[in-house]
């Protein structure tokens, strides 16, 4: 492995790494604003400057490929002066309104100006003012605070696959905005809030709700879809104030869907927390004593066989169990629990197990979607498929038309027979499964939506139609919490 010298210490690094990544291997912290591990390198904030032997100027470590024999210094007066200069420029136009900024306490600019900045400014000119932009109901903007790191632009373009954010104007007049100031349409849009290193993009529903140090942070797992994204639940007293992603490279990386992030809204707002009783054709506010008394009278006036119960698929196990006990106490056995029209045999794990794993998608060279829309049913999975498509040019086919998935795919049709055709090598993608140079097993992803033909999700193509292809299948049912194995 090649070697590099960082602050006098020789370390080995992998080919393709940048100087900044090599510094991290040496446990040397490099301040940064625009650099982000999951995004392409922009090199435009210049906060990561370091000294390189034989270079008259400091270099941007995030954009400089590490090379054998490089001698890097990160703690010299030269570097400190360079970073102070950059920070002074960044703060020249920044409003410094930390006391009223929602990012206060978790702001990269605040933290880094404390450690790497200058304690006074030599600028006496007026600060630049930028009008706030409309980016939709989730993202609050205060664009005067923007430092033009372009993380939000790169995220929208590279990860979300919806190039809706961009920059207009140049130099000091540069402004970040959505196209024609329209709302972002991506289901991953609110991740730009976490990515923005300053308070330019903050969460609209969370505006002025709490300070980060007032919140109790609890690590948890998201249950809004079958992905199981790693999340952190921030609570203030008994109220869930916000949901943030936790890093898990095998599942959600650093992203969560907007549904995951804002579903906590429903815990507090527009809840039916007071019973209503219909009197003279009109609903009137009541109290629990009266409501329970009315229900009890109604139950007593009916025979148990006339009483039935039905539970939806969003109720918790505890609630369902308590409901069952109640009905049994009344003497009724008329209870039912029905999910959406699923035709899955849970006895056989192959029907629901995603044995290829989510990050395994990146190693796949063929993906077949059957009757599913991963963009809406498993947003994070869709982001992973897009990543694989962009990085490896993975071939993607779909039976059933899911619409825009943010990447190109070939529509095989809307007919169950297409599965048969695939195995008999008659489909549009002739020889889809076994044609060389496929190196990896194909990924088969089915969903709860039936094809027009009547239910691809219940299909077990490997056994019903044809002998197994040379490589084994990997498949999973999308969109079902309960079916996730
Ligand atoms: S809005 Fe935030 S993330 Fe976007 S360029 Fe400005 S500072 Fe960077
Ligand atoms: S982090 Fe290197 S230039 Fe911004």
């Amino acid at each position: 492995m090649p070697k590099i010298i960082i602050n006098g210490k020789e370390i080995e690094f992998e080919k393709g790494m940048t100087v900044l990544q090599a510094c991290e291997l040496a446990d040397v912290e490099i301040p940064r604003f625009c650099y982000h591990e999951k995004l392409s390198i922009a090199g435009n904030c210049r906060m990561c400057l370091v000294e390189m032997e034989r270079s008259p100027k400091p270099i941007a470590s995030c954009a400089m490929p590490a090379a054998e024999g490089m001698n890097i210094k990160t703690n010299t007066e030269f570097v400190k002066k360079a970073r102070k200069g950059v920070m002074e420029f960044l703060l020249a136009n920044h409003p410094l309104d930390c006391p009223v900024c929602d990012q206060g306490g978790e702001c990269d600019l605040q933290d880094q100006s404390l450690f790497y900045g200058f304690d006074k400014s030599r600028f006496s000119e007026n600060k630049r003012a930028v009008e706030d932009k409309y980016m939709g109901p989730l993202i609050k903007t205060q664009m005067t605070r923007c430092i033009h790191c372009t993380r939000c632009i790169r995220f929208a373009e590279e990860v979300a696959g919806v190039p809706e954010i961009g920059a207009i104007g140049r130099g000091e007049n540069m402004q970040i905005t959505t196209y024609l100031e329209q709302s972002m349409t991506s289901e991953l849009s609110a991740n730009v809030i976490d990515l923005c290193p300053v308070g330019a993009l903050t969460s609209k529903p969370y505006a002025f709700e709490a300070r980060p140090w007032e919140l109790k942070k609890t690590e948890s797992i998201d249950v809004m879809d079958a992905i199981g994204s790693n999340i952190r639940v921030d609570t203030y007293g008994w109220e869930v104030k916000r949901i943030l992603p936790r890093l898990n490279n095998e599942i959600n990386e650093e992203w969560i869907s907007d549904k995951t992030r804002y579903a906590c809204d429903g815990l507090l707002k527009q809840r039916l927390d007071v019973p209503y009783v219909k009197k003279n054709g009109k609903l009137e506010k009541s109290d629990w004593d009266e409501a329970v008394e009315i229900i009890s009278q109604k139950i007593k006036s009916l025979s148990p066989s006339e009483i039935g119960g039905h539970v939806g698929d969003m109720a918790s196990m505890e609630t369902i169990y308590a409901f069952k006990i109640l009905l049994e106490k009344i003497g009724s056995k008329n209870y039912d629990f029905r999910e959406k029209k699923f035709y899955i045999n849970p006895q056989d794990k192959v029907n629901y197990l995603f044995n290829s794993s989510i990050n395994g998608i990146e190693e796949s060279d063929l993906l077949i979607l059957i009757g599913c829309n991963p963009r809406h049913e498993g947003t994070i999975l869709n982001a992973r498929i897009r990543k694989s498509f962009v990085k490896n040019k993975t071939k993607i086919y779909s039976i059933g038309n899911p619409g825009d998935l943010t990447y190109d795919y070939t529509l095989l049709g809307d007919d169950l027979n297409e599965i048969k055709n695939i195995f008999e090598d008659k489909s549009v993608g002739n020889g889809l499964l076994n044609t060389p140079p496929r190196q990896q097993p194909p990924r088969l992803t089915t969903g709860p939506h039936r094809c027009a033909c009547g239910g691809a999700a219940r299909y077990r193509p490997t056994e019903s139609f044809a002998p197994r292809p040379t490589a084994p299948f990997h498949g999973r049912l999308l969109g079902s919490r309960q079916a996730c194995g």
Side-chain angles (χ1 to χ4, degrees):
M1 284 224 277
K3 293 192 177 89
I4 185 170
I5 300 166
I6 313 259
N7 294 341
K9 197 168 116 192
E10 193 179 67
I11 56 144
E12 290 185 337
F13 66 93
E14 276 173 39
K15 235 176 145 200
M17 280 185 161
T18 60
V19 171
L20 187 144
Q21 287 168 327
C23 288
E24 279 178 349
L25 286 182
D27 284 336
V28 172
E29 191 187 273
I30 305 285
R32 83 280 308 258
F33 291 116
C34 70
Y35 176 78
H36 192 279
E37 291 81 2
K38 306 279 182 229
L39 303 176
S40 63
I41 293 168
N44 50 12
C45 76
R46 316 313 279 181
M47 194 59 208
C48 62
L49 295 177
V50 294
E51 185 178 345
M52 184 172 76
E53 202 178 52
R54 292 197 293 277
S55 167
K57 294 193 288 182
I59 58 154
S61 60
C62 71
M64 173 67 78
E68 172 74 43
M70 263 184 175
N71 188 358
I72 301 293
K73 290 182 190 131
T74 69
N75 50 10
T76 59
E77 280 311 308
F78 180 69
V79 174
K80 283 183 195 155
K81 190 170 169 224
R83 286 177 185 167
K84 279 192 173 149
V86 169
M87 187 58 85
E88 199 179 356
F89 268 124
L90 287 175
L91 295 181
N93 274 319
H94 191 79
L96 301 175
D97 55 349
C98 307
V100 291
C101 175
D102 255 331
Q103 193 85 351
E106 49 191 3
C107 172
D108 291 353
L109 190 60
Q110 211 175 31
D111 295 347
Q112 292 182 32
S113 61
L114 178 69
F115 292 105
Y116 305 100
F118 211 47
D119 58 357
K120 46 183 94 60
S121 170
R122 288 171 290 175
F123 287 85
S124 51
E125 292 82 7
N126 286 334
K127 286 190 187 260
R128 178 189 77 132
V130 183
E131 262 185 38
D132 295 344
K133 305 286 183 290
Y134 178 73
M135 288 199 185
L138 304 178
I139 306 165
K140 179 170 177 260
T141 64
Q142 187 100 35
M143 297 321 275
T144 304
R145 297 176 188 151
C146 174
I147 57 166
H148 304 153
C149 71
T150 69
R151 277 186 184 187
C152 53
I153 300 176
R154 281 174 285 147
F155 173 82
E157 177 139 3
E158 295 163 17
V159 180
V162 186
E164 292 172 334
I165 307 184
I168 50 172
R170 307 191 72 180
E172 205 196 32
N173 297 321
M174 180 171 156
Q175 297 188 15
I176 305 290
T177 178
T178 46
Y179 180 64
L180 296 180
E181 276 197 51
Q182 283 170 357
S183 171
M184 272 190 86
T185 57
S186 169
E187 57 293 327
L188 285 164
S189 67
N191 286 292
V192 295
I193 297 166
D194 301 334
L195 280 174
C196 184
V198 297
L201 307 179
T202 51
S203 171
K204 227 178 227 179
Y206 174 69
F208 308 122
E209 286 284 330
R211 284 301 197 183
W213 56 86
E214 296 172 321
L215 299 170
K216 185 177 168 218
K217 294 152 184 98
T218 311
E219 297 193 346
S220 186
I221 304 289
D222 173 48
V223 291
M224 289 297 135
D225 53 32
I227 305 296
S229 299
N230 287 212
I231 53 168
R232 195 184 87 193
V233 183
D234 284 5
T235 47
Y236 183 85
W238 58 272
E239 274 181 37
V240 175
K241 284 292 179 192
R242 62 177 180 178
I243 308 276
L244 295 177
R246 275 190 298 131
L247 177 71
N248 186 332
N249 281 325
E250 291 182 7
I251 299 177
N252 55 312
E253 301 188 275
E254 283 186 44
W255 325 122
I256 50 172
S257 66
D258 292 350
K259 181 162 96 174
T260 299
R261 191 181 295 263
Y262 290 111
C264 63
D265 227 36
L267 295 173
L268 194 68
K269 304 209 171 88
Q270 294 193 346
R271 290 199 70 93
L272 205 54
D273 47 6
V274 175
Y276 283 75
V277 176
K278 207 174 217 176
K279 289 178 185 162
N280 304 324
K282 271 192 164 183
L283 285 172
E284 282 177 24
K285 263 189 187 177
S286 173
D287 57 36
W288 285 109
D289 288 341
E290 189 189 357
V292 171
E293 183 55 36
I294 293 172
I295 293 168
S296 146
Q297 292 305 329
K298 295 262 181 209
I299 288 174
K300 280 179 192 155
S301 66
L302 295 166
S303 87
S305 61
E306 288 176 292
I307 300 169
H310 186 94
V311 182
D313 61 354
M314 293 306 283
S316 66
M317 291 299 276
E318 291 82 356
T319 311
I320 295 171
Y321 186 64
F323 186 55
K324 180 174 169 253
I325 300 225
L326 173 73
L327 286 165
E328 279 174 354
K329 284 264 154 70
I330 292 167
S332 167
K333 283 208 183 289
N334 303 328
Y335 41 75
D336 197 3
F337 166 79
R338 226 171 276 160
E339 273 199 84
K340 283 175 227 146
K341 290 168 186 162
F342 276 177
Y343 299 96
I344 302 294
N345 176 7
Q347 306 301 324
D348 193 344
K349 268 186 163 183
V350 80
N351 281 336
Y352 58 86
L353 198 66
F354 201 10
N355 47 2
S356 61
S357 76
I358 292 174
N359 58 347
I361 286 177
E362 285 183 47
E363 287 145 34
S364 170
D365 55 7
L366 172 65
L367 189 87
I368 307 167
L369 308 171
I370 301 178
C372 66
N373 182 340
R375 186 168 178 187
H376 294 137
E377 289 151 15
T379 302
I380 295 300
L381 189 73
N382 198 54
R384 196 68 86 135
I385 297 174
R386 179 180 154 74
K387 191 176 172 191
S388 176
F389 172 78
V390 172
K391 212 168 86 183
N392 310 328
K393 302 271 169 288
T394 307
K395 287 201 189 83
I396 301 162
Y397 294 86
S398 176
I399 298 175
N401 188 353
D404 180 11
L405 291 179
T406 70
Y407 43 80
D408 294 341
Y409 60 88
T410 307
L411 197 59
L412 291 178
D414 210 6
D415 195 303
L416 188 62
N417 283 323
E418 284 303 331
I419 301 176
K420 194 174 170 194
N421 289 341
I422 290 172
F423 283 92
E424 292 176 357
D425 282 3
K426 286 190 212 151
S427 67
V428 179
N430 252 342
L432 212 56
L433 300 182
N434 296 317
T435 310
R438 285 202 38 256
Q439 305 292 326
Q440 299 291 332
R443 262 72 179 169
L444 186 80
T445 303
T446 59
H449 294 308
R450 290 183 299 161
C451 293
C453 54
R458 70 183 149 173
Y459 232 89
R460 301 220 23 224
T462 49
E463 286 181 12
S464 310
F465 275 135
R468 273 174 194 269
T470 47
F473 266 100
H474 293 286
R476 183 189 215 189
L477 180 84
L478 281 181
S480 158
R481 286 182 304 149
Q482 290 81 4
C484 179

